[in-house]
Amino acid sequence: MNHLATSIACPDLVRSSTARCTASDVLRWSGLHALAGSDTDSVLFSTRRVHADGVLIHEGQTFEYLYCVGAGSFKGVQTDVEGYEQVLGFAFHGDVLGLDGLYRGRHGSGAVALEDSTVAVMPFLELVTASRRLPALERLLHHAAGVELRHRSDTQYLMSAASSEVRVARFLLHFAQRQNALGLSERRLRLRMTRRDIASCLGVAHETVGRALTALAQSGCITVSHRDIEIIDAPALHEMQRVTRGAPRGRSAIRASHAMVA
Amino acid sequence: MNHLATSIACPDLVRSSTARCTASDVLRWSGLHALAGSDTDSVLFSTRRVHADGVLIHEGQTFEYLYCVGAGSFKGVQTDVEGYEQVLGFAFHGDVLGLDGLYRGRHGSGAVALEDSTVAVMPFLELVTASRRLPALERLLHHAAGVELRHRSDTQYLMSAASSEVRVARFLLHFAQRQNALGLSERRLRLRMTRRDIASCLGVAHETVGRALTALAQSGCITVSHRDIEIIDAPALHEMQRVTRGAPRGRSAIRASHAMVA
DNA sequence: CGGATTGTTGATTGGAGTCAAAACGTGTGG
DNA sequence: CCACACGTTTTGACTCCAATCAACAATCCG
């Protein structure tokens, strides 16, 4: 996967300070295979290894780099004055981290590795200037922003569910969908994060996440073994996940489709 | 504020199809005053009026335009299969709508006007090509993405609060802060949205929003009259808003600052 | 004026937060 | 290799907050 074009020949033992990857690699990681070409092969990024629980981005840090996850996984966090750590979301292979630094040149949220991980380090200003020559890099940036916004919406959707069981069911389905998009199994899930991280992200107590998981297991939807979860009855999970807050009493959806503006 | 440069002389009766504004206007609306110059004066956008409850962006619509709010306000919505309308956030003067269309070229969420409003219509592809010549437009795009991501984080923070009263207090403070950033009063707030919209955004029942408001009023923090809210005791509101889920039991914040990776 | 939407208030009840304790896993150092 | 400490996970019991249902008042429309 790594084109070590001009670099050292021992891929496995490359020092993190010297390891490099190309923009084409990043494009492929992000799912933009068609945009990887000979021109982007010549754009090199350094890579950085982050061990489990290591901090890739500190909250409040000045914005300099964007990172693309090559291997491993991260959680996005925001710590409030009380020291409570709110988990904003999770990032996996191909996701770009650090985009919130676009606001006022400071990272409003941090990124912490859930396991030993590797990222491509993309200096933002260089990326921008290079993107004026290379539309592929421009597309990469826009795509990354779109994906990030999409993930935020999804997370809000998770949190909006009324019951905790529904939230957990949605979380599992969402997780499975992302795994599937990466070519992994959508049935066998290995959770990289703790129950507490999930709980923070869903806005419930961490005990509640556990209870919801055992409840879902007892109803036959899933099996749970530590952090390994297997989805047994996906349709049942989907059915469970549908229940939202309140009845669709208003006809707001209908009204909306009427209220089209020319 | 609007430069009706070459247009008709009766501003109030201008047809939406003919009204125009310049990129400099949009830059100023977004707070990027320093970037507005003679070069951006020559870039024209058409404007569009949307009456109250009018739909600016339909969910699922193909992505063509970005919109910058010139006057009025909007809510971002996502309707699920059941017809339940989840409010993702609110947009005011200077906010850019439609960025979630960057993901797969379709708008994942819609935008509905809370009152009669006006937006600048920016064709995305034209904006991108123009931005290669004009760094100011490039900056505009990045700034808009940063602001959008910031708003999403803020909304997640609102929803993460344990008690409903805290959520509402945070919502008011957040709202006041945005009003203040626009040069409006941070004490006198006029809510443009219904209690139900707020409730959806905060993830609580709409009755609960009302109860929380009356409770905050009875404790002397605020006064409430319909949709007009005055913040009487801002420090007390801040104090109220601090309470988060659970005690700061772990030393995660401390550990994080130790776990710096080179 | 009348209908619909919005907002408020009350009574009830279930669900989830909280506290507590124990089982389980993991990694560390003796 | 074992012992120990620490974090994670699970389970239980209790309490209370907020969802829900319901009725009503206020407001905004045409």
Side-chain angles (χ1 to χ4, degrees):
Chain A
M1 183 92 66
N2 267 331
H3 288 206
L4 294 170
T6 62
S7 297
I8 308 163
C10 47
D12 282 329
L13 296 175
V14 161
R15 309 281 318 161
S16 71
S17 53
T18 62
R20 302 205 165 266
C21 66
T22 69
S24 296
D25 290 328
V26 174
L27 285 168
R28 277 187 287 263
W29 293 351
S30 299
L32 302 172
H33 303 267
L35 297 180
S38 55
D39 47 355
T40 53
D41 282 344
S42 59
V43 177
L44 292 180
F45 298 119
S46 62
T47 61
R48 176 169 151 187
R49 300 198 168 192
V50 186
H51 59 74
D53 291 327
V55 180
L56 175 65
I57 300 173
H58 286 271
E59 297 180 53
Q61 198 175 20
T62 63
F63 173 50
E64 269 186 274
Y65 305 104
L66 290 177
Y67 305 94
C68 185
V69 180
S73 49
F74 292 82
K75 60 177 172 182
V77 298
Q78 197 168 22
T79 310
D80 65 17
V81 274
E82 308 294 300
Y84 176 75
E85 179 186 276
Q86 169 67 27
V87 174
L88 298 174
F90 302 101
F92 305 106
H93 180 261
D95 290 326
V96 171
L97 290 162
L99 279 162
D100 72 336
L102 286 170
Y103 180 73
R104 296 194 170 180
R106 294 204 161 268
H107 290 288
S109 62
V112 178
L114 298 174
E115 59 190 314
D116 291 0
S117 305
T118 307
V119 296
V121 181
M122 306 183 283
F124 179 66
L125 289 180
E126 295 179 28
L127 191 65
V128 167
T129 56
S131 72
R132 289 198 263 264
R133 282 188 301 114
L134 304 171
L137 292 186
E138 194 175 63
R139 293 276 302 274
L140 172 66
L141 196 52
H142 297 159
H143 178 78
V147 169
E148 183 73 16
L149 285 171
R150 175 61 200 239
H151 284 165
R152 302 291 179 117
S153 296
D154 289 340
T155 305
Q156 275 183 264
Y157 179 65
L158 297 182
M159 295 180 75
S160 74
S163 93
S164 61
E165 208 161 313
V166 172
R167 294 192 195 196
V168 173
R170 284 187 185 175
F171 175 79
L172 292 177
L173 287 168
H174 181 237
F175 191 89
Q177 192 177 323
R178 286 178 76 176
Q179 294 275 91
N180 193 41
L182 293 177
L184 302 173
S185 168
E186 56 182 339
R187 294 185 69 248
R188 295 186 171 276
L189 312 178
R190 168 153 292 174
L191 303 180
R192 266 42 213 240
M193 64 295 289
T194 69
R195 302 284 143 101
R196 181 161 306 192
D197 288 334
I198 299 173
S200 172
C201 187
L202 297 182
V204 298
H206 71 278
E207 299 97 325
T208 305
V209 174
R211 279 190 248 266
L213 284 175
T214 59
L216 288 172
Q218 280 175 357
S219 68
C221 295
I222 60 175
T223 61
V224 180
S225 166
H226 313 296
R227 293 189 186 177
D228 291 307
I229 289 182
E230 183 165 3
I231 295 179
I232 303 295
D233 190 348
L237 254 194
H238 272 99
E239 190 59 30
M240 184 136 292
Q241 165 262 159
R242 288 185 10 166
V243 183
T244 55
R245 185 180 308 281
R249 52 173 107 43
R251 292 164 315 291
S252 50
I254 298 169
R255 176 158 54 85
S257 54
H258 279 249
M260 293 183 67
V261 184
Chain B
M1 185 102 44
N2 266 331
H3 289 205
L4 293 170
T6 62
S7 297
I8 307 164
C10 47
D12 282 330
L13 296 176
V14 160
R15 308 285 318 165
S16 70
S17 54
T18 62
R20 300 204 167 267
C21 66
T22 70
S24 296
D25 290 327
V26 174
L27 285 167
R28 279 187 286 264
W29 295 350
S30 298
L32 302 173
H33 303 267
L35 296 181
S38 55
D39 48 354
T40 53
D41 282 343
S42 60
V43 177
L44 293 179
F45 298 119
S46 62
T47 62
R48 176 170 152 187
R49 299 198 165 191
V50 187
H51 60 73
D53 290 327
V55 179
L56 175 65
I57 300 173
H58 285 271
E59 297 180 53
Q61 198 174 20
T62 62
F63 173 49
E64 270 186 273
Y65 305 103
L66 290 176
Y67 305 94
C68 184
V69 180
S73 50
F74 292 82
K75 60 177 173 181
V77 296
Q78 197 168 22
T79 309
D80 65 16
V81 274
E82 308 294 298
Y84 175 75
E85 178 186 278
Q86 170 67 26
V87 174
L88 298 174
F90 301 101
F92 305 108
H93 179 261
D95 289 326
V96 171
L97 290 162
L99 279 161
D100 73 336
L102 286 169
Y103 182 73
R104 297 195 168 177
R106 295 202 161 269
H107 290 288
S109 61
V112 178
L114 298 174
E115 57 189 315
D116 290 1
S117 306
T118 308
V119 297
V121 181
M122 306 183 283
F124 180 66
L125 289 180
E126 294 179 29
L127 191 66
V128 167
T129 55
S131 73
R132 288 198 263 263
R133 283 188 300 116
L134 304 173
L137 293 184
E138 193 176 63
R139 293 277 300 276
L140 172 66
L141 195 53
H142 297 160
H143 178 78
V147 169
E148 182 73 15
L149 285 171
R150 176 60 199 239
H151 285 164
R152 302 291 179 118
S153 296
D154 290 339
T155 305
Q156 276 183 264
Y157 179 64
L158 296 182
M159 295 180 76
S160 75
S163 92
S164 62
E165 209 163 311
V166 171
R167 295 192 195 195
V168 173
R170 284 187 186 175
F171 174 79
L172 292 178
L173 287 168
H174 181 237
F175 191 89
Q177 193 175 323
R178 286 179 75 177
Q179 293 276 91
N180 193 40
L182 293 177
L184 303 173
S185 168
E186 57 182 338
R187 293 184 70 249
R188 295 185 171 278
L189 312 178
R190 167 153 294 175
L191 303 181
R192 267 36 214 243
M193 65 294 290
T194 69
R195 303 286 143 99
R196 182 161 305 192
D197 289 333
I198 298 173
S200 172
C201 187
L202 297 182
V204 297
H206 70 279
E207 299 98 324
T208 305
V209 174
R211 279 189 247 265
L213 285 175
T214 59
L216 289 173
Q218 280 174 357
S219 68
C221 295
I222 60 174
T223 61
V224 180
S225 167
H226 312 295
R227 292 189 186 177
D228 290 309
I229 289 182
E230 183 165 4
I231 296 179
I232 303 294
D233 190 349
L237 253 195
H238 272 100
E239 191 59 30
M240 184 135 292
Q241 164 262 159
R242 288 183 13 167
V243 183
T244 54
R245 184 181 308 280
R249 52 177 104 43
R251 292 167 315 291
S252 51
I254 298 169
R255 176 157 51 88
S257 54
H258 278 248
M260 291 184 67
V261 185

